[in-house]
Amino acid sequence: MRQTQAKRIVLGLTGGIAAYKAAELARLLLKQGVEVQVAMTEAACHFITPATMQALTGRPVLVNQWDAITNGMAHIDTSRAADAIVVAPATADFISKLAHGLADDLLSTLCLARVCPLLVAPAMNKQMWAHAATQRNVVQLERDGVTILGPCSGVQACGEEGMGRMLEAEELALDIVAFLQGSKSLNGGSPTLTLPQGERGSIHKMDGVRILITAGPTYEAIDAVRGITNRSSGKMGYAVARAALELGAQVTLVSGPTALPKPQGAQVVDVTSAAEMFEAVKQHVAGAGIFIGVAAVADYRIAQPSTQKIKKSADKLTLELLPNPDILAYVANLPKPPFCVGFAAESENLHGHAKTKRKAKNIPLLVANLAQQAIGSDENELILFDDTGEHVLPRADKLTLARQLMQHIVMLRTNIKT
Ligand code: PMT
């Protein structure tokens, strides 16, 4: 087993137009300290040249099965040295090969001979993605322990719009780094998953479900240049949006000011203040099956914000604050409310405050986290409070937790319906 701290992946490219995104993906991974060895199929070389990938990674690109590395066993050697193989883009054809255990070129042979986890980022036309054969193959891969990243919905190279578009490089890099951090037995034994095997076989569990999510902080203006806000980064809410998209949901994300890339496939409504967030939620809540309030909404706003910069003086300055509307309580008390999920960040007495909040807000599920651990960080630890009691989601990266939370929501909604 390799002893170095740095993670190493094999980045496999197959022949799709999304191959151009692999160049940026390689760059982002390298920037985060991940060593990248590129392997390309012959078809991939028609979309992006090995020279580009070699120049970016500083390593010769593997294309030909018959090129010797050390002992002519490139398919064995390369996968042994890797913490994971990531195929991005993965065409319908390549996914089919993987599902059937075919090994007729270097990349497919590498995948079959691997002892490390395999992650696959599908990229194809929407009809190819929706085809029963592709869906069967994807489910088979998940049963085999392969992690599927995406795809998402959007405008495709063919001009059509729909599901099948490869995730953006930024999103894939986030996923891959999170996966590498979360994997416990990297580079050894059977593939390690961030989710229990089969859980993501439910890619259609939320097909057609509209989910409205709030995320990030709000900013309440004091004057033209100053305001009251908090340290929420939006990472938890954006991860929840990603996890919901992965399950096929139609996601509207009402986001306070953050520095995060927008989740591909979500309708993002940017807002600044709590009042704007409230208006956006009111506007988009009709037809939503689920509402998840992850945002750290300011409880108060300035009664009379100044349109000009307030000038410094020797006098005492008193700001009058007015309470903001409670967005979650509004949604939960609609005549036909969606399934409502609230979050609570507490600095002490997490259990006590969370239980009180769930009752006060009249919601089926409340997600509690410790403010000092949760705000701004990449990792978190959650306790879910529902009618059956509490469920701890141990410390992990936020996307992993968001996926587990979405599975819990799926389960609760199924129980309500049956
Ligand atoms: O963004 P990150 O850096 O990733 O951090 C994530 C987080 C810590 C912000 C997130 O996990 C979290 O806990 N969010 C809720 C923060 C909070 O404590 O909210 P609250 O206790 O003020 O409100 C409880 C619930 O009511 C929340 O779902 C909130 O969105 C909602 N609320 C609150 C006030 C208000 N006026 N309107 C609301 O909808």
Side-chain angles (χ1 to χ4, degrees):
M1 191 189 290
R2 219 158 39 83
Q3 297 300 321
T4 53
Q5 287 296 308
K7 301 288 187 217
R8 181 184 297 174
I9 66 153
V10 173
L11 177 60
L13 277 64
T14 68
I17 183 68
Y20 77 91
K21 293 185 188 174
E24 177 64 0
L25 176 60
R27 198 187 65 76
L28 291 170
L29 289 169
L30 289 161
K31 211 170 139 194
Q32 302 213 39
V34 179
E35 292 173 17
V36 180
Q37 169 65 62
V38 173
M40 296 171 68
T41 63
E42 293 281 351
C45 301
H46 290 283
F47 290 92
I48 185 168
T49 66
T52 303
M53 298 309 293
Q54 177 164 338
L56 282 167
T57 60
R59 289 167 193 272
V61 170
L62 306 171
V63 179
N64 193 330
Q65 201 168 354
W66 309 110
D67 284 344
I69 289 189
T70 47
N71 58 0
M73 293 285 173
H75 59 297
I76 306 284
D77 296 341
T78 310
S79 81
R80 292 291 182 278
D83 291 309
I85 299 178
V86 180
V87 181
T91 58
D93 176 64
F94 196 77
I95 287 172
S96 171
K97 264 190 200 177
L98 290 175
H100 292 88
L102 297 183
D104 62 354
D105 60 13
L106 180 61
L107 185 56
S108 54
T109 311
L110 253 169
C111 292
L112 199 62
R114 79 186 193 281
V115 290
C116 60
L118 175 61
L119 291 80
V120 164
M124 66 198 75
N125 157 274
K126 65 176 181 179
Q127 265 87 24
M128 291 172 91
W129 173 251
H131 197 285
T134 306
Q135 290 303 313
R136 261 198 320 274
N137 291 333
V138 170
V139 169
Q140 184 58 52
L141 288 189
E142 292 187 307
R143 288 202 182 117
D144 294 344
V146 175
T147 296
I148 309 293
L149 305 174
C152 62
S153 182
V155 179
Q156 307 196 308
C158 54
E160 293 179 3
E161 198 165 342
M163 199 73 169
R165 198 181 142 98
M166 189 168 90
L167 296 178
E168 293 304 320
E170 292 82 4
E171 295 176 285
L172 285 174
L174 278 173
D175 271 356
I176 294 163
V177 170
F179 184 93
L180 291 173
Q181 283 167 353
S183 297
K184 291 200 172 53
S185 64
L186 290 173
N187 199 27
S190 55
T192 313
L193 292 175
T194 46
L195 281 177
Q197 197 161 330
E199 271 199 0
R200 295 195 71 248
S202 51
I203 37 182
H204 300 297
K205 268 184 183 161
M206 291 231 175
D207 250 359
V209 179
R210 286 201 46 223
I211 305 190
L212 182 58
I213 299 169
T214 65
T218 62
Y219 176 92
E220 311 299 324
I222 296 173
D223 66 12
V225 293
R226 305 178 184 97
I228 298 175
T229 187
N230 59 65
R231 292 195 286 121
S232 167
S233 61
K235 287 176 190 169
M236 192 69 237
Y238 277 52
V240 171
R242 286 285 307 279
L245 287 164
E246 285 175 1
L247 293 179
Q250 257 179 278
V251 175
T252 302
L253 178 64
V254 179
S255 174
T258 78
L260 300 175
K262 296 188 191 320
Q264 272 291 321
Q267 179 188 11
V268 182
V269 183
D270 289 313
V271 297
T272 303
S273 65
E276 284 174 22
M277 188 172 273
F278 189 33
E279 281 314 307
V281 166
K282 282 199 279 190
Q283 214 180 328
H284 290 89
V285 75
I290 301 174
F291 174 74
I292 310 177
V294 196
V297 187
D299 288 325
Y300 297 93
R301 66 181 182 280
I302 310 299
Q304 281 184 321
S306 165
T307 51
Q308 302 302 326
K309 185 179 171 192
I310 299 171
K311 300 309 285 178
K312 188 169 80 176
S313 83
D315 298 336
K316 195 161 94 178
L317 177 69
T318 304
L319 295 172
E320 191 188 351
L321 301 178
L322 297 175
N324 272 328
D326 190 318
I327 303 166
L328 176 57
Y330 165 85
V331 176
N333 288 297
L334 285 170
K336 280 189 184 170
F339 182 91
C340 283
V341 182
F343 268 68
E346 307 293 345
S347 56
E348 39 86 43
N349 188 16
L350 187 60
H351 285 69
H353 288 324
K355 283 181 185 162
T356 313
K357 229 171 235 183
R358 187 168 95 90
K359 277 206 185 108
K361 304 241 179 190
N362 186 27
I363 50 174
L365 178 61
L366 186 118
V367 183
N369 47 197
L370 270 176
Q372 50 274 43
Q373 281 182 11
I375 289 216
S377 62
D378 291 336
E379 294 190 344
N380 202 357
E381 190 178 320
L382 302 176
I383 308 177
L384 316 186
F385 292 86
D386 60 26
D387 283 344
T388 65
E390 42 183 276
H391 315 270
V392 176
L393 301 184
R395 187 158 196 81
D397 64 274
K398 286 180 173 172
L399 186 56
T400 300
L401 290 170
R403 285 173 175 155
Q404 292 168 349
L405 169 62
M406 289 313 300
Q407 294 296 340
H408 194 80
I409 294 172
V410 168
M411 190 265 294
L412 288 179
R413 287 182 82 234
T414 312
N415 290 349
I416 288 172
K417 282 179 195 155
T418 52

